[in-house]
Amino acid sequence: MRVLIIGARGQLGVELCRAFYDHELYKADLDGGNLILDITDLKAVQALIGPLSPDLVINTAAAHNVPLCEERPEWAYQVNAEGAKNMAIACAAAGARLVHISTDYVFGNGATKPRVETDRPDPVNVYGASKLEGEGLIAHHAFNYCIVRTAAMYGATPCRAKNGKNFIDLMLHLARTKGEVRVVTDEITTPTYSVALARQIRLMAEKAKPGLYHATCQGHCSWYDFAKVIFDRTRTKVALLPARSSDFPAAVKRPNYSVLENANLKAQGLDIMPNWSSALGEYLAQRSDGSVGSV
């Protein structure tokens, strides 16, 4: 199978390249790689996908710096909505399957149980709204697509929108440099390991019906609980203090409960995502043997 991965140098893109190592693989990114591509340029997208004629295109490219999206909404919509539309148009014309990565942030506040794919989206910030519009444009312009919503992703490759540190790196860095860490107890999510997600996406690309999917690790926790498990498993000595989101005033609203249920994957017998605690154990084991980066 001929596979094109957009955003190949990103946190998920790197793991997807590893997951599809045994295919005819092409890598594209905005700032380098085998191929350079700006997804906001329709002609450039068509000029790449048309002649290449891939069987599968996986788009991880996004404007996902949440505060910056709020400051520059036109840019956010250009990348997350128009860029998604461009990918859909080009893939439809080439007969390629499109797997597009979306986000739990298409949902807002008020939930008390995990969201399923049929729940009504209600984003509370520009990032979520622009990603939601991108989903709609893909559904309108493509016919063979999988939209994959995920949440709270972390991995070995630095996240370019978060100054290179994932949540685990940040917690260990603060523990080492500050000795005391305050983490919120009232924001609930599902930490999702990029390696596990890449494995899931490969299975979806091969077997899933076209449509909308949630794909996160199993279970959920507060950011405080996640930090506690990180410190416990790494035997890190730190004063971990509970806090509320109101203790950290922010200009950007974020959902306080953004847990997703992998309902469509489960219905098709395709859900292979591990529990978030088990996935964290795999990540930390790889850190300890030097196979992923460390702080």
Side-chain angles (χ1 to χ4, degrees):
M1 182 164 60
R2 184 173 293 182
V3 180
L4 171 62
I5 296 177
I6 311 296
R9 297 182 66 189
Q11 185 168 232
L12 179 58
V14 168
E15 301 304 338
L16 285 167
C17 290
R18 291 173 178 154
F20 286 89
Y21 75 96
D22 55 343
H23 290 276
E24 185 179 345
L25 185 62
Y26 295 86
K27 307 174 186 179
D29 207 293
L30 181 62
D31 57 359
N34 296 109
L35 304 163
I36 295 177
L37 179 66
D38 178 356
I39 65 170
T40 67
D41 185 338
L42 176 59
K43 291 183 178 179
V45 173
Q46 292 172 321
L48 174 61
I49 292 177
L52 185 62
S53 190
D55 302 293
L56 171 67
V57 176
I58 306 177
N59 179 40
T60 73
H64 53 86
N65 182 316
V66 177
L68 190 58
C69 286
E70 210 70 20
E71 294 173 12
R72 299 173 55 191
E74 291 184 4
W75 166 73
Y77 277 91
Q78 184 179 29
V79 176
N80 294 335
E82 289 301 312
K85 175 183 175 182
N86 294 343
M87 299 299 302
I89 290 171
C91 286
R97 163 163 272 210
L98 173 61
V99 175
H100 176 77
I101 311 305
S102 192
T103 175
D104 58 321
Y105 273 34
V106 300
F107 295 112
N109 292 317
T112 56
K113 62 181 181 179
R115 305 268 199 162
V116 297
E117 291 86 347
T118 54
D119 285 344
R120 179 178 174 272
D122 51 349
V124 294
N125 56 44
V126 170
Y127 169 63
S130 63
K131 291 294 287 184
L132 180 61
E133 184 166 322
E135 291 183 4
L137 289 168
I138 287 174
H140 180 75
H141 290 279
F143 54 91
N144 185 6
Y145 66 87
C146 291
I147 296 169
V148 183
R149 292 173 180 159
T150 193
M153 190 173 62
Y154 66 90
T157 300
C159 177
R160 288 173 286 189
K162 298 179 181 178
N163 299 317
K165 281 187 172 62
N166 62 40
F167 183 79
I168 301 163
D169 292 336
L170 177 61
M171 289 298 101
L172 295 176
H173 171 75
L174 291 174
R176 188 180 69 237
T177 59
K178 303 290 187 181
E180 180 180 288
V181 181
R182 299 175 68 220
V183 184
V184 297
T185 60
D186 60 344
E187 290 183 4
I188 312 299
T189 188
T190 302
T192 299
Y193 184 25
S194 59
V195 172
L197 182 58
R199 295 184 192 123
Q200 180 70 74
I201 289 172
R202 170 159 178 164
L203 181 61
M204 294 175 65
E206 295 170 344
K207 296 186 176 182
K209 299 175 182 178
L212 172 64
Y213 293 86
H214 292 172
T216 69
C217 286
Q218 311 294 342
H220 58 270
C221 61
S222 70
W223 289 108
Y224 176 90
D225 293 332
F226 189 30
K228 186 177 187 306
V229 174
I230 292 166
F231 294 140
D232 287 346
R233 292 194 181 173
T234 58
R235 298 180 181 178
T236 299
K237 294 182 178 180
V238 61
L240 175 61
L241 305 177
R244 308 287 291 179
S245 54
S246 58
D247 296 335
F248 306 100
V252 183
K253 292 182 179 180
R254 298 173 188 261
N256 57 8
Y257 184 96
S258 58
V259 181
L260 305 181
E261 176 73 22
N262 302 345
N264 283 353
L265 286 175
K266 290 177 180 177
Q268 296 179 46
L270 298 176
D271 185 10
I272 60 170
M273 293 298 286
N275 181 272
W276 69 265
S277 180
S278 299
L280 174 62
E282 179 184 352
Y283 172 80
L284 292 175
Q286 291 176 340
R287 279 177 66 106
S288 66
D289 69 17
S291 59
V292 301
S294 59
V295 291

